[in-house]
Amino acid sequence: MSALLSRVLRDLRITPERTFDVPQSERAVPLPSRLATGELAWASVAAVQVAIGAEVVPALDPDRIALAYRSDRFLRIDGEHPDVWSPHSGFWRASDGWIRTHGNYPHHARALLDGLGLDAAAAADDIRAAVAAASARDSVERITRAGGLAVVVSPEDPARDAALCSRPLIELARAGDASPESSRELDSNAPLRGIRVLDLTRVIAGPVCTRTLALLGADVLRIDPPALPEPEWQHLDTGHGKRTAVLDARSAEMNALLGQADVVVLGYRPAALARLGLSPDVLTERHPGLVVAQLSAWGAEHPDRAGFDSLVQAESGIAMVESPDGQAPGVLPAQALDHSAGYLLAAAVCAALNRRRAEGGSWQISTSLRRVAAELLRMPRDSEPSPQHEIDPAGHTQDFSVDGHTVTTVRPVLPWFSFAAPHPWAADAPGW
């Protein structure tokens, strides 16, 4: 844990000696797996604590981190646990292996069925039969051509992971000149108070990042496309403390928001953002002093490829490492690539804002789920998962009233900070 945290701090241009300021936990984070999932989680969260710049760093609660990484399992809306996975998402056996699909969004589910030659009423058994009748690669190609999301479940590729790990886990670079920011006074109870964050992300990793920035006091405004609603449960699980609106990315209103933002967090495909004039290079050129943080599934070398945590686990080799029997693919105990990427991105934003305050400049940050996966695959591992550790959620959750409903979520992982309630999706005006 400490070695990874030290490397992350070097990536963020923070003295690695700050690692010793973080109290070491006597217990591992209880996320049982063969891979070092708990260690990755602890280091990712600890990086935020250090990047804030606090002189005193409180100890992290391993149980709270584990619950936060599995927050979807503890979410309740009026006491009920919502369905969080579509029947179109999962592992399917092909004639020569396995594929993994993701169909949680309706348009992805429709494309998946179209690619397999199935109608909208097709059930899981129909998908299973269609995939079983073809090779894994053939099914993935057909689904992908139709606009769906699927990957071949693959063994790990140590050479590829080594190449990815030759670069920083989280990249932070100065991208232009701007005057230092000297007017904002730091508040230890809300270190990002006065910072405006434009949140152009969805699903888990990006929203975890911006939820963390809101937790630290930032004014976070999430903007979504008007025609692409977010599943309610997903937004409520990661929407704490943010305002949320819909807006056309090409509108004059969007340009005005960008002109007044301190930070922009990007979570859509890099190529799609570039077509909208929202690439990091364009944004920092047009808006000196801006901090732009970009997250993608597969990295800059695959700018037009969409993906999710589950798909990256499957293609990177994680699913086979975590296989319960050496034959069928398995999964990590949480969507740990998403959550770790979110916290690492939040830490980098805090580090960049500290640099901007001290020396000025525009700053660009980037990481990807695939880069996080490579890090996890290169860390020490166990031959068998550690024993399951049951956690009593009492004391680790809190209730909010949201649009007449009682929403129960896991409390934040950072001691001394408390979540504000999430707003209903798209309930706010698109303005600061």
Side-chain angles (χ1 to χ4, degrees), residues 169-379:
L169 177 55
I170 183 85
E171 300 199 35
L172 170 64
R174 184 170 176 137
D177 294 327
S179 300
E181 178 200 19
S182 57
S183 59
R184 187 171 65 90
E185 294 185 5
L186 290 181
D187 179 348
S188 60
N189 296 316
L192 297 188
R193 179 173 289 143
I195 294 296
R196 288 173 167 172
V197 178
L198 193 60
D199 178 2
L200 305 181
T201 73
R202 55 174 42 208
V203 195
I204 299 174
V208 164
C209 167
T210 54
R211 179 186 68 182
T212 304
L213 300 179
L215 178 71
L216 297 174
D219 177 6
V220 179
L221 174 62
R222 170 171 166 161
I223 297 293
D224 282 85
L228 195 59
E230 184 79 330
E232 179 188 44
W233 75 265
Q234 199 160 262
H235 172 69
L236 293 174
D237 192 39
T238 56
H240 303 78
K242 311 175 197 178
R243 287 176 298 113
T244 160
V246 295
L247 190 65
D248 189 321
R250 294 185 174 90
S251 65
E253 292 87 348
M254 176 66 86
N255 193 55
L257 291 174
L258 289 165
Q260 297 177 337
D262 296 285
V263 178
V264 177
V265 184
L266 306 172
Y268 293 85
R269 288 176 295 125
L273 291 167
R275 289 191 287 270
L276 293 170
L278 295 174
S279 70
D281 287 343
V282 169
L283 290 174
T284 51
E285 181 179 356
R286 290 179 180 172
H287 307 284
L290 191 64
V291 174
V292 181
Q294 183 163 48
L295 171 80
S296 63
W298 302 102
E301 56 267 46
H302 301 285
D304 211 12
R305 189 182 182 195
F308 294 91
D309 182 302
S310 59
L311 300 181
V312 176
Q313 284 192 41
E315 186 173 295
S316 67
I318 289 174
M320 293 313 300
V321 172
E322 297 294 345
S323 169
D325 58 7
Q327 301 295 321
V331 296
L332 295 175
Q335 295 191 69
L337 308 181
D338 267 331
H339 286 272
S340 294
Y343 288 117
L344 290 168
L345 212 65
V349 168
C350 293
L353 288 170
N354 288 336
R355 297 296 293 268
R356 189 185 74 164
R357 186 175 65 253
E359 64 187 75
S362 305
W363 296 85
Q364 292 181 8
I365 299 158
S366 66
T367 194
S368 70
L369 302 185
R370 183 62 183 89
R371 176 62 185 85
V372 176
E375 193 70 29
L376 183 58
L377 286 161
R378 295 269 291 176
M379 293 172 71

